[in-house]
Amino acid sequence: MSLFKGSGVALVTPFKDGRIDYDALERLIEWHVESGTDAIISCGTTGEASTLTAVEKLSVIEFTVKKVDRRIPVIAGAGSNDTSHSMYLSKEIQYSGADGLLVVTPYYNKATQQGLIRHYNMIADYTDLPIILYSVKSRTGVNIEPDTVKELSKHPNIVGIKEASGDISQIARIASLTSRDFDIYSGNDDQTIPIMSIGGVGCISTVANIIPADYHQMTADFLKGKYKAAAKMQLKMVPLIRAVFGEVNPIPVKAALNMMGYIEKEYRMPMCEPTNETLYWLYDEMLRYGIRV
């Protein structure tokens, strides 16, 4: 059984005066639930997990689980470049009541494919929660190869992958090597419908932070067999997606949410405010798309 199908939002972590802004976080959670978002992914890349302390990370996850109150699944980031730390996070997140884990490949020190198999299997053995692998070579420097995904998919707690390689051929091979019970989620917003067309079940999206209802509708249309409507929506989103990724994620998407009045425009260093050029581009595309700012 899938953790979720459709639109999962990689939720931002709002800050105010250097601390977690829980009031803003609650507003975002309620907006997403009301807008039809199918799952919330807490403390992933878009949530600036790499600059949250372990205490902050677990606090955000526990808060999110409590406020969502089982209305939709909450999947929490437990990735690290230290296997033992990921194991610790996975156990603490399990205690929080989250529904699943998103575990990115080790970054900086990286790993061989054999190292990845051992890393993920050790985490999966340590928790009862279902795990979604996260492959994003552009950030971590390491790719989960299709044969490695096939091997990892044999573990009963490893149930899917967020695939952000951008390589459709690789994703097609993963789909061909794994069973239908193993779920593939798009990790690139402009490839959601292409990936769903070769067996994907949804997305873990950054742009869904600012257009949650549309992202839900697009994936729901595809899952209902309304392929032309889903493709039309995907193409409509492309200019907005390009602007949202005009600088390193989550810099522009947090600026967009600030324009919409949801959060402060605040980041954890080394993330910083976008350039004026990016802001103008983002503002223009938001207006063109029909977002009220």
Side-chain angles (χ1 to χ4, degrees):
M1 182 177 177
S2 298
L3 261 173
F4 77 96
K5 291 184 179 181
S7 177
V9 62
L11 196 64
V12 302
T13 301
F15 300 117
K16 187 174 182 179
D17 300 325
R19 298 182 179 183
I20 310 295
D21 186 346
Y22 288 99
D23 290 338
L25 181 56
E26 183 172 6
R27 288 194 297 272
L28 290 174
I29 290 167
E30 291 303 322
W31 181 42
H32 279 282
V33 173
E34 292 167 5
S35 298
T37 293
D38 297 292
I40 288 178
I41 292 76
S42 179
C43 295
T45 303
T46 308
E48 294 175 85
S50 59
T51 48
L52 297 176
T53 67
V55 171
E56 286 177 322
K57 191 178 298 184
L58 293 170
S59 177
V60 168
I61 293 164
E62 288 169 6
F63 181 89
T64 302
V65 168
K66 181 179 178 181
K67 294 300 177 182
V68 169
D69 194 24
R70 299 294 174 187
R71 290 175 289 175
I72 58 176
V74 175
I75 298 159
S80 169
N81 63 345
D82 176 356
T83 304
S84 63
H85 187 61
S86 283
M87 292 167 68
Y88 161 76
L89 288 174
S90 71
K91 187 67 76 173
E92 293 300 314
I93 290 168
Q94 181 174 322
Y95 295 147
S96 77
D99 298 283
L101 304 172
L102 180 69
V103 183
V104 73
T105 55
Y107 39 84
Y108 185 69
N109 51 5
K110 306 196 292 187
T112 63
Q113 295 301 303
Q114 186 58 42
L116 290 177
I117 291 169
R118 294 183 185 183
H119 172 78
Y120 280 112
N121 278 329
M122 286 179 70
I123 298 166
D125 286 342
Y126 198 66
T127 180
D128 296 327
L129 290 178
I131 292 171
I132 298 173
L133 312 172
Y134 181 15
S135 183
V136 56
K137 185 178 180 180
S138 63
R139 281 187 178 265
T140 65
V142 61
N143 182 52
I144 309 179
E145 298 292 338
D147 286 332
T148 302
V149 178
K150 178 184 178 182
E151 180 64 28
L152 289 171
S153 71
K154 297 174 184 176
H155 197 293
N157 285 349
I158 298 176
V159 300
I161 186 169
K162 176 184 177 182
E163 234 293 352
S165 68
D167 185 343
I168 292 291
S169 295
Q170 172 170 289
I171 298 167
R173 180 157 167 74
I174 290 169
S176 75
L177 289 173
T178 54
S179 74
R180 295 181 67 179
D181 294 331
F182 185 81
D183 289 328
I184 299 173
Y185 299 95
S186 172
N188 289 326
D189 288 334
D190 60 352
Q191 293 183 336
T192 296
I193 296 307
I195 288 171
M196 292 183 76
S197 75
I198 55 172
V201 298
C203 62
I204 296 176
S205 167
T206 294
V207 175
N209 274 280
I210 58 174
I211 50 169
D214 280 4
Y215 231 96
H216 164 75
Q217 189 62 53
M218 178 180 72
T219 56
D221 280 346
F222 189 93
L223 292 169
K224 292 174 183 175
K226 299 178 181 179
Y227 305 126
K228 288 185 178 180
K232 183 178 180 180
M233 183 73 78
Q234 175 79 92
L235 295 175
K236 177 186 175 183
M237 291 178 184
V238 168
L240 179 64
I241 291 168
R242 291 186 67 242
V244 165
F245 287 93
E247 291 188 27
V248 175
N249 182 43
I251 290 173
V253 77
K254 290 189 85 172
L257 283 166
N258 172 256
M259 292 180 200
M260 297 167 73
Y262 280 102
I263 66 171
E264 301 290 328
K265 190 167 60 179
E266 189 171 325
Y267 308 87
R268 281 279 172 90
M269 288 293 292
M271 294 291 176
C272 63
E273 292 191 2
T275 64
N276 286 337
E277 182 181 11
T278 296
L279 286 173
Y280 289 134
W281 179 20
L282 183 61
Y283 181 80
D284 287 345
E285 291 301 342
M286 290 170 70
L287 286 179
R288 194 171 289 118
Y289 188 87
I291 297 171
R292 296 181 65 181
V293 291

